[in-house]
Amino acid sequence: MNTAVTAGEVPVDSVPISLVAHHAFCPRRAWLEASGEKLPVDSFAMTSGTVAHTRADDPQASTAATVRAMDVVSSRHGFHGRIDVAEVLEDSSMRLIEYKATPVRRRPETTEPMRRQLALQKLALEEMGHRVVECAVHFTTHHRRVPVEIDEGTTTAALADVEATRAVAEGSTAPPPLEDDPRCASCSHVSLCLPDERTMAETPRRISVPNPDSQVLHLATYGSLATVKSGRVVVKHRGEVTATVPLERVQAVVVHGNVDLSGGLTRELMWRRLPILWCSSGGRLVGWASSADRPNGPARVEQHVASKRGDLHLARAFIGAKVGNQATLLRRHGDSASAVAALRQLASAAGEAQSVTELFGVEGTAARLYFTEFPTMLAPSARAFGAEFPGRVGRGATDPLNVLLNYTYALLTGECVRALLACGLDPHAGFLHSSGRNKPALALDLMEEFRAPVADSVVLGAVNNGEIKRSGFADLAGEVRIGDAARKALIAAYERRLTTEFTHPVFGYRVTWRRAIEVQARMILGLLDGTQEKYVGVRVR
């Protein structure tokens, strides 16, 4: 049962808050869920107990003697939820059973949170007119049922949790993260809460990613249609199925050019709070769609206030990290020690800038140095790209290298938009780039530190390795367009880069580049909700 709290006599469809499903009461977790955070997949979701618990979650599997997935509510105490299984005995009383999965090497023992969860279920059922005579926890991993005695003390403690959760949920700001608490190690919200990262100190553990098997789905074959069928995304081209992907493995969909999405798939993605991003055939981010059910509303208000006021600390961190990463990439692959030294000095100057205008001056000087030496990072086999490179050109570029850079920057912008939407922030309200340009300013802010190590690295790797050749582009009336094969190769190289792990320079654990973007978005949120004092950009060595 995912027990939830309501405000007094509030009906069943109130905002749900997971109380004691797997952990003792954590105020910050309760607040995150009350604000609308999407609960990540728990660590046991792929264990052998999944099938058994799936059956318990299916109300269609109910019989006269066994009720499954039944919604219950306590109007008196203001909470509601759903039980797993209630067995109806001969005298019409009930035996309440909660299904749990345990790691294989742990013993099937009930915990205090489990007992409190059953106490609330029992209380709600009895208020609804049912008599509960037995309670038990069925451990699906061990295939063992353990009886549970519910005494008055357990019920009192469970109701105290309800009141504590209600007080936290009604608060306007998030409670601070727990410090050095053993509950955090197994909490499915740790990747949202980031308790250890708030101190900006090295964290000798790896964050549990909500679902390590999920992926961003790119739809890049022009003229194809994506639909949904039996819980899977089905892609068809000219009537033939070209790909199918389980919806559970999708965390976002990126549409490239002339690709259609069915209304059913769009609706399903919105129900699951999975964003859709549309790019033009040239890679420009055109727009996105996201669910109206978004978390962290109060923090989003603070974001707009801070965006209007300006935040020089964040702006310095974005540009300082960007220039520092440009210097590192040039040192690794280029041939200009003097330019690297100059970029290092400019990165330091960014940290001391007294205004955003001064920061843009530092950024502009660094960009001229960096892109002047950019061709020196090309392999001999890719020098044809460098020969046509006129320097950095954005929209309207007429050379293949800039076309590749522009396309990859658009993909990175979309990735930053997705990360910001996931934690409830507005991609348009930025701190460095102006929101007045009607661009996703905060996404452009966040992507600065990832331009060199992600986007530029992808382009250099793709052309140096021969994945993309000059022949992969079409020259039409002075305009250079990327071909279909080269575009798909670039997207594939980009996804490989985002799923590559590296050691986070601040926290010390291994993390993918995609996860690093999400962590940095969470750091921005921490500044806005008051649980973090500073922001440190990702700088590679």
Side-chain angles (χ1 to χ4, degrees):
M1 169 184 173
N2 190 20
T3 311
V5 171
T6 63
E9 299 288 332
V10 177
V12 169
D13 59 352
S14 303
V15 178
I17 304 168
S18 181
L19 256 184
V20 288
H22 310 293
H23 314 287
F25 174 68
C26 172
R28 184 166 176 81
R29 173 176 171 141
W31 191 90
L32 286 169
E33 291 179 349
S35 67
E37 291 285 6
K38 184 179 180 181
L39 180 64
V41 177
D42 284 299
S43 58
F44 63 76
M46 301 304 292
T47 67
S48 60
T50 300
V51 175
H53 204 291
T54 299
R55 181 173 172 80
D57 288 337
D58 183 9
Q60 300 300 319
S62 298
T63 66
T66 305
V67 180
R68 302 179 186 274
M70 175 183 176
D71 290 323
V72 296
V73 61
S74 170
S75 298
R76 178 183 177 187
H77 299 287
F79 66 85
H80 66 87
R82 173 175 290 186
I83 65 172
D84 285 342
V85 172
E87 296 178 347
V88 182
L89 306 179
E90 292 183 358
D91 60 354
S92 297
S93 63
M94 284 186 170
R95 179 188 294 120
L96 184 59
I97 304 172
E98 176 68 19
Y99 277 65
K100 297 293 184 185
T102 55
V104 175
R105 295 185 179 180
R106 288 180 57 185
R107 292 178 295 180
E109 295 180 346
T110 60
T111 63
E112 182 62 20
M114 294 178 190
R115 291 188 287 272
R116 294 186 189 182
Q117 180 181 356
L118 281 168
L120 292 178
Q121 296 179 20
K122 180 175 182 289
L123 197 66
L125 279 170
E126 290 176 342
E127 186 175 328
M128 294 170 66
H130 304 286
R131 186 165 61 92
V132 180
V133 295
E134 296 181 34
C135 295
V137 174
H138 180 87
F139 292 98
T140 57
T141 307
H142 293 78
H143 305 288
R144 180 179 175 185
R145 182 179 297 184
V146 179
V148 176
E149 293 291 334
I150 305 297
D151 56 26
E152 184 177 350
T154 301
T155 303
T156 300
L159 290 175
D161 283 343
V162 171
E163 294 305 318
T165 304
R166 181 175 292 111
V168 169
E170 293 174 350
S172 59
T173 58
L178 302 177
E179 295 184 7
D180 299 322
D181 194 290
R183 289 174 290 182
C184 296
S186 58
C187 180
S188 58
H189 256 58
V190 69
S191 59
L192 302 179
C193 182
L194 301 183
D196 298 331
E197 286 79 357
R198 299 300 184 182
T199 61
M200 304 306 294
E202 183 170 337
T203 305
R205 63 166 176 81
R206 180 177 176 178
I207 287 182
S208 299
V209 180
N211 188 351
D213 294 324
S214 63
Q215 59 190 350
V216 173
L217 177 61
H218 291 266
L219 302 176
T221 300
Y222 294 161
S224 60
L225 169 66
T227 61
V228 61
K229 183 178 181 180
S230 301
R232 300 179 70 92
V233 178
V234 180
V235 184
K236 294 182 179 180
H237 184 247
R238 296 178 180 176
E240 295 185 5
V241 176
T242 57
T244 68
V245 181
L247 270 168
E248 285 74 15
R249 294 184 58 190
V250 176
Q251 59 176 281
V253 174
V254 182
V255 181
H256 299 262
N258 184 26
V259 178
D260 290 330
L261 269 64
S262 71
L265 176 58
T266 302
R267 181 173 60 251
E268 185 68 27
L269 292 171
M270 293 299 98
W271 279 344
R272 293 173 179 248
R273 295 172 61 188
L274 301 175
I276 308 169
L277 299 101
W278 284 271
C279 296
S280 68
S281 58
R284 182 171 61 90
L285 182 63
V286 177
W288 60 85
S290 62
S291 169
D293 181 17
R294 297 174 60 194
N296 300 319
R300 197 158 54 250
V301 173
E302 292 297 329
Q303 176 193 353
H304 284 275
V305 173
S307 176
K308 178 67 175 179
R309 183 178 61 245
D311 193 312
L312 189 58
H313 163 67
L314 274 171
R316 286 170 175 167
F318 295 144
I319 295 302
K322 174 187 180 179
V323 177
N325 290 337
Q326 288 176 332
T328 297
L329 194 66
L330 191 59
R331 176 182 59 79
R332 290 178 178 177
H333 305 288
D335 187 25
S336 179
S338 60
V340 171
L343 287 171
R344 296 290 188 206
Q345 292 178 349
L346 288 169
S348 298
E352 300 175 358
Q354 299 302 305
S355 66
V356 171
T357 301
E358 185 179 343
L359 269 176
F360 278 127
V362 171
E363 181 191 31
T365 302
R368 285 191 294 272
L369 274 171
Y370 175 68
F371 284 108
T372 296
E373 302 298 333
F374 197 85
T376 68
M377 293 189 281
L378 297 172
S381 60
R383 291 294 164 84
F385 288 93
E388 299 181 64
F389 186 63
R392 180 74 187 107
V393 179
R395 185 178 298 185
T398 58
D399 69 287
L401 201 55
N402 271 309
V403 168
L404 290 173
L405 287 170
N406 290 340
Y407 204 113
T408 315
Y409 289 154
L411 292 175
L412 183 58
T413 303
E415 189 66 33
C416 292
V417 167
R418 186 196 64 80
L420 293 168
L421 290 174
C423 55
L425 295 179
D426 185 348
H428 280 95
F431 305 99
L432 174 66
H433 294 85
S434 171
S435 302
R437 296 175 57 206
N438 297 324
K439 301 286 185 180
L442 186 58
L444 296 176
D445 289 354
L446 179 59
M447 71 179 286
E448 293 291 12
E449 61 201 73
F450 296 101
R451 284 181 182 263
V454 174
D456 296 356
S457 180
V458 166
V459 171
L460 289 170
V463 299
N464 286 343
N465 296 335
E467 297 175 76
I468 298 177
K469 300 182 182 297
R470 179 61 181 86
S471 58
F473 296 81
D475 297 277
L476 301 172
E479 182 180 356
V480 175
R481 294 185 181 179
I482 186 170
D484 188 56
R487 179 169 49 85
K488 290 180 179 179
L490 182 65
I491 294 172
Y494 172 79
E495 280 299 312
R496 285 199 307 272
R497 182 60 175 171
L498 280 186
T499 55
T500 300
E501 286 191 350
F502 70 106
T503 300
H504 198 290
V506 178
F507 307 126
Y509 51 72
R510 301 289 291 175
V511 63
T512 64
W513 282 104
R514 172 164 283 138
R515 182 57 188 159
I517 294 173
E518 296 171 356
V519 169
Q520 296 306 111
R522 290 272 158 197
M523 294 295 102
I524 297 174
L525 175 63
L527 281 177
L528 295 171
D529 68 17
T531 57
Q532 184 186 341
E533 295 183 357
K534 62 180 180 178
Y535 177 92
V536 177
V538 171
R539 296 197 189 197
V540 293
R541 299 181 178 89

